[in-house]
Amino acid sequence: MGSRSTLAGKEVPIISNDAVKWIELSVPSSSNSATTAVDSGTATLGPPKEDLASCSVIGNPSTYLIWRIQKMQPQALELLEIRASHEFPKTGLRFTFPDALCPFAFICKNEITATSRFPYLLYVLTVSGVAYLLKIRDVSTYSSCSVFPAHELTELNVHNYLNHMRVTAVTATSGFLVLGRNDGSICCFQLGVLDPSAAGFVVELRDEVGISRLWGLMSRGKMVSLVQDMVIYELHGQRFLFVLHFDGSLRVWDLACNSRVFSHTMGTTTMTGAGFMKLWVGEPCLDSSTIPVAILYRHTMDESLEMISIHNIQYNFGDRIIFSMKSSSQNISLEEGGCIDVKLTSDKIWILKDNELISHMCSANTGKEEEFSYALQEEFVADQLFQGSDHLADEILQIAHSLFSSSKDDIVPFVSSIFLRRLLLPGVHHNAVLHATLVEYKRQLVESEFQVLTTDGLKKEILSAIEHEVGTEKMSIFQCWKYFCTRYFHNWCKINASCGLLIDSSTGVVGLIRKSSVSLFRSLEDIERILEEEGGDLTGLVDLFDDDLEHEVPMELFRCVSSFSQQLGKTASSIFYEALLSSPAISSEDIIHCIVKILETGYGSLGPVVHTSVPGNDMVREKELADHRNLRRLSIDMFLSLQGLYKKAASWGRLLNVIEGFLKFLVPHKTVHNFDSRKTSNVNSSVVVHATYQIAKVMFESAWDFLLFLSYLLDINGQIHMSHDDITRIQIELVPMLQETIFEWLVIIFLATTPSAPAVIEDFDYKLSSLQIDNDMGKRSWNEKLGRCDFTLAFIFLLNARSSSIDGNQAPSERLSNMQGIVVKIRDFVSWIIYGQAGGISTFLSRSIDLSFILFKHGQYGAAEQLLTMAEAHLHKEKTSQSMQEADGGWCIRQHLLGCALLAQVQCGLHGTLKEKKVSDAVRCFFRSPSGNGASEALQSLPHDIGLPYLNFGGYASTAVWKLHYYQWAMQLFEQYNINEGACQFALAALEQVDEALSMKDERHIRDLTDESATTIKGRLWSNVFKFALDLGRYFDAYCAIISNPDEESKYICLRRFIIVLYEQGSIKILCSSNLPLTGLMEKVEQELAWKAERSDISAKPNLYKLLYTFQMHQHNWRRAANYMYLYSARLRTEVALKDYHGSSLILQERLNALSAAINALHLVHPAHAWIDPPAEGRCLMSEQYPSKKARRTVDIDLLTENDVEHQSWQSSIYLEKLEHEFVLTSAEYMLSLVNVKWTYTGKEGALSDLADLLVQNNLCDMAFTVLLRFFKGSGLKRELERVFSSISLRCCLGKVESTWIEPHSNLLTSSKLEMVVHGSPLTVSTMAQPDRNSHWATLELYLGKYCEFHWRLPVIVAETLLRADAQIDLPRWLVQFFKEGQREKTWGMAGRESNPASLFQLYVNYGRFTEATNLLLEFMESFASMRPADIIRRKKPFAVWFPYTTIERLLYQLEELIRVGHMVDQCQKLKKMLYSSLHNHLKLLKEDSDDAISVAC
């Protein structure tokens, strides 16, 4: 700023104008203009060297048409249409021309053709010499990436009219395009009015000499210098062209008659060597009939030296038009910063420079007018991002380190939150800037996706960039934040550079057009003016002080506070603000104590946290010493200043009066409002919101400075001779007053800077809205704004506080607010927030409830929680715990609202520990709410249209009754939000109130309680406790709720639900443990389990029949356990019968397991009682899925027929033997299923025999013999064994085998006993290769040896079967051995058991095996003859020897027959001879033995 300037205002950005979507329009061209320009050697103005922008104000109410041309895209022109009654436009037009544009554009109202279709005209000129006139339609009618309609534009190649002259200046107005040339002449084109071929389309303006004008000839007189700048000016309905030439000549031309009406040559200026650069013409002053004219001078050698000279031209409209230059002029030197734009009004000149906006009154008193400056947004952004000094950012870390000295881990998150909050502040945050900064950090972000990120999304992106930088660059996080803010600020200044001014003299609106945004200017508040002038102007404060107190004392006191705050003021206030809003919040007393301690003793040693930000230990030490010296100097200066003030005021009481006067000035103003019903957001709303933050920030920091100052006074009260009364006054009056003021401004800042939360999209109606199926565009637009960084909570409140008393009679929404109007609206808005519409609310604690209602109505639950929490924290400072509850129930309402806000946030999708904390806090709030004073009446008075859960019950005189109903309401609310933990707590709390509520009820209470008994109420509440505990997975608590329920019906319903849920959750096994006391409910539990088992899918997991089995086994009820497992087996059998199961083998195995378990259970019972009871009440086992079928329950396999199996009565008991029978049959069926053979027992005669054959055919011999031994006895068993062995023997003779499975091992039968071990081990069948004949012989040998003792004739059956099948077969040696070992005593010859040598001899003879028969007979005869001496005595006993003599005779006969027929004569002769010889010897031996026996007998 200049040294003589006085700050008069600040820039206020229009929020939400940095994300305009541009509609791209390509402008076609039919001219070969570039070629023409090159060929002709002529040229126009070059492309713009700087970003250029301007604004045209059209209509009433005003419409602001803003155009921009950026030097990086000189061929494109951006156009925005702004109306005060609308929001800032979301879309704009971007025209792309074939060539770069000259630094000129003009847009105006279409006065050529009075049509609403094309309301605006746009004039542009390209560097190639082509002029365009575009007829602009409404923005909404254009579509992106389209070509501008050719019939809506007029194109003119001006080179055809320049006569090889160069264009040096250009201007336009409706119907005219004017070009200034380098020869000083001017060409006027009636572009858009006349056809280029029409007469008068182009007119040349130049100085003419003598009579040549009458002849219509071109003048060849004295030439003027080139045209430097031109302005078309309309005065009294006539158009005049003001022309500035390079040599300083100023001419005015009347465009109506194309004649010059004024000419003046500027004299020398105070700036030596300066050239005339730019011309501006202001609005006429009707009182003095003067026109202000401003000319920019720039030094030819040093372009940074510029000056503006203001002149006044007198005009007189009499018989002829007379212009004359007044002698006086006003020179304004632009000392710092280049001139970007200038605007003239009738009495002011506005000069936009690089670093500020300044204004001067247009006055004839040269050099005496005061210069007013207006701070640009760059200053605000730099202040927010700590760019003013490196020490500011370092002090944040130092103070945070002192504040969190006991918890170092909180320092980094706290500091990060400060930087993050400031980066996202309205006015600081800019989408394009943030995107560019993140791209520099190599964040791959698509700009279109980045534009739609919510506040949380932006925070995540920034934090990710910082964390990545910390990990890769080995920098401290504090350094990363400083560097990020520096880069952000650099990009902000680059992307958001100033381009031009927006001035509306009709309303006094002053605005700034930036490269990517638009803003307005406002006036300063009184406190801002005082702070800027450091107490120099205390106008407005004098009446607050003692009349006899010198004016110097307040000024000196203010300077004392200001100098005190400058040491740590801005940094400390940011720490203070962040600490109050952090979670958990830090008390203001702790912060004050920490800051005062720093001011007294300096910063402590910060260790490596700060050392990493300052390179070198020497520099760190030097900085610490410098800080210490500054603090010591501050202490000394402060002490001396306070001593001087004390002497001037004569007492501390008078000084405290001055301070109190200052404090009253910081209290928000209270105004009375008249509000209208409109609630539309517009440009003014955006300006008011951000301006409110600017002023609230100043107020907050000023109040903080005084609080810090007073705290410092209290700390050094002994050194400055402060009395006890003065100390008490500070503590009791001034500090609470300051705390109240700080809190109120803190709330304002919170509302103005906190982004709104996104809309919760849940209901179907909103989804329809988002698809644009309905017509609720306003709601859809509103929901799109929520959640964006630039749409803060203040917008929501501003729409509820639309004042109609501002800006005179004009409705405030139809025009932009001027500088002072913005301040007035801010005061009204702040007053409305703090005091309400009528200004009748005395404390903000009451007002916070109304504000919370608005937040609830718009779904801002997090903001409502924070606002109410801030109010409660402030209430703790003001009141003791005994007096915190207001008599009107305000405390109860706040607790109720706080609980609702917390619950609503949980419903919006919180997770993890944050959700648990919110739920816990909500429970605490709802427990507090009904316990306060006046809770019933206060809570019943809550409105129903703000989105709060409705309290649907009336008030009660009894506290217990009220609490009972409130707790039930809270329980239902938590249940509605599916928060079972909280719902359970309130159900238990309601249970505690039941007895007291019913004991105290009177007749009215009885009606209120709907005549419910204590049992009914408790039963309902215990049922709810059960439900919530069950949903939480707390099964023990749920069961305790069941047994605590006094309502029997409700208890059993809960018990059934308990069992169902345990089953569904896979936790049903809990019932079988000893954790639940089932005493008294055992039978009910069993009934429910059985009922559930009958109606559940048999394949469901876990299996309820198994659970019932375990349940009964745990209770030592063996028979009932066996019963349930048998029921399970029967269900499985029915499932297989009714459904075609692919996995039937698995079901059969499961049946085996069930039958095995049932058998094992019955084995634990005494044999006399080993049977199963029929089910109670004769109920059918089958569930409702199979109503037409009955389970097969009995298994007397010997007697059952198929009909008996289907219709067996439940009245007969099921014994162990029957279970074992069924187990064997199921085992056989299971084993057949493993080899893909389906078999089911039908009960028909011969079915078991067929089963045995089927098993043998599939090599399941073990199972076949098990079936035979289980179901056949006596002769029947022998018959079946003979049949089975005959079948096995035949397989040995066959060349192929039908089955590919055998079972080498079996656990079903012992080796030599009839008893069978029937247990629950599932049968296993191993897969083997296809058996060959050798394996069949091995199988036959194995089973013949195993089962021969059951029937000794089996070897005979086997041998006979083999010989019958193949008479020439060689009987295996082991089989022959069976016969030889079959005799009882070898000495008795060939006699013995059924399978003896004689039997084999007979078989040989019968089947023509004479050789084997002869050999066998000879073997035994030789054996008989060669007996040991010891055995001879036994041999000689009578009747001791038997040989099959008959068979021998048959053998001899057969041999003789063969000899007779000549078949094998030699062999038969030989055999016959051997037989005769052997028989002769044998008979001889027998005769000797007989004689010996007779002799012995005698």
Side-chain angles (χ1 to χ4, degrees), residues 1151-1213:
R1151 282 183 59 196
L1152 286 175
N1153 293 337
L1155 290 171
S1156 177
I1159 292 170
N1160 290 338
L1162 286 180
H1163 274 301
L1164 298 175
V1165 184
H1166 190 276
H1169 305 284
W1171 45 271
I1172 298 176
D1173 293 322
E1177 302 178 4
R1179 292 183 303 167
C1180 178
L1181 168 74
M1182 298 308 297
S1183 65
E1184 297 173 0
Q1185 296 178 344
Y1186 315 109
S1188 62
K1189 297 290 183 179
K1190 291 186 178 180
R1192 303 170 184 175
R1193 293 294 174 170
T1194 57
V1195 288
D1196 193 350
I1197 304 300
D1198 291 327
L1199 302 176
L1200 285 181
T1201 64
E1202 183 178 4
N1203 187 61
D1204 295 331
V1205 174
E1206 286 291 324
H1207 302 286
Q1208 176 63 32
S1209 172
W1210 275 103
Q1211 300 305 318
S1212 60
S1213 298

Side-chain angles (χ1 to χ4, degrees), residues 391-392 395 399 561-572 598-599 603 626-635 638 705 708:
H391 298 295
L392 293 177
E395 286 173 356
I399 297 176
V561 175
S562 299
S563 62
F564 180 80
S565 66
Q566 287 176 358
Q567 184 66 29
L568 296 174
K570 292 183 178 180
T571 307
I598 292 175
L599 292 173
Y603 299 109
D627 292 339
H628 183 71
R629 285 193 298 269
N630 291 335
L631 291 174
R632 292 301 302 164
R633 188 181 300 112
L634 174 67
S635 299
M638 187 62 62
D705 292 341
L708 193 61

